[in-house]
């Protein structure tokens, strides 16, 4: 499944970039993310709860930040396993300064499946 969204944030791009790469802030931006604990620079242990029928459950795995180009863009990718199966995804986040702050564009691809 592919998802695209654009948001406006009333702050300059460097501050938005710094916030979005902070695990505490990033966790709140990822739907269903219950845990995002750093294990090393840019690598996190993650817990994700999905409430969709047929996929409902808790998944644990890793998330990795890469391709960091402050304050313009970064990529986040992750994968997890749970009783319902697996989930994998990645997103490219792009930041553009605009007159009233920063436009944040996200292009994500997410896949889920049966038990591994």
């Amino acid at each position: 499944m592919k998802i695209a969204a654009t948001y406006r944030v009333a702050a300059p791009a460097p501050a938005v970039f710094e916030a979005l790469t902070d695990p505490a802030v990033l966790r709140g931006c990822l739907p269903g993310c219950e845990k995002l604990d750093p294990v090393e620079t840019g690598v996190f242990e993650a817990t994700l709860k999905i409430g969709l029928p047929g996929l409902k459950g808790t998944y644990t795995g890793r998330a990795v930040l890469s391709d960091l180009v402050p304050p313009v863009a970064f990529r986040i990718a992750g994968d997890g396993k749970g009783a319902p199966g697996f989930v994998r995804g990645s997103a490219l986040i792009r930041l553009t300064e605009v007159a009233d702050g920063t436009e944040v564009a996200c292009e994500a691809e997410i896949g889920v499946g049966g038990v591994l």
Side-chain angles (χ1 to χ4, degrees):
M1 168 184 1
K2 292 185 180 187
I3 300 170
T6 303
Y7 306 91
R8 289 274 173 116
V9 180
V16 175
F17 185 93
E18 184 176 333
L20 289 176
T21 55
D22 176 297
V25 175
L26 185 58
R27 188 182 110 240
C29 297
L30 300 171
C33 187
E34 295 184 334
K35 177 179 123 179
L36 195 63
D37 294 335
V39 292
E40 60 186 82
T41 303
V43 179
F44 309 92
E45 291 293 329
T47 301
L48 183 69
K49 193 171 202 172
I50 296 178
L52 300 172
L55 303 171
K56 189 173 184 176
T58 301
Y59 297 80
T60 57
R62 285 198 165 201
V64 178
L65 293 179
S66 64
D67 303 331
L68 282 85
V69 182
V72 178
F74 68 93
R75 182 174 301 279
I76 182 168
D79 61 82
K81 295 178 188 176
F86 67 89
V87 62
R88 288 189 182 107
S90 68
L92 176 60
I93 312 299
R94 294 184 184 162
L95 290 77
T96 305
E97 292 236 11
V98 293
D100 59 346
T102 302
E103 182 176 276
V104 180
C106 174
E107 295 177 11
E109 190 163 345
I110 302 161
V112 293
V115 178
L116 291 174

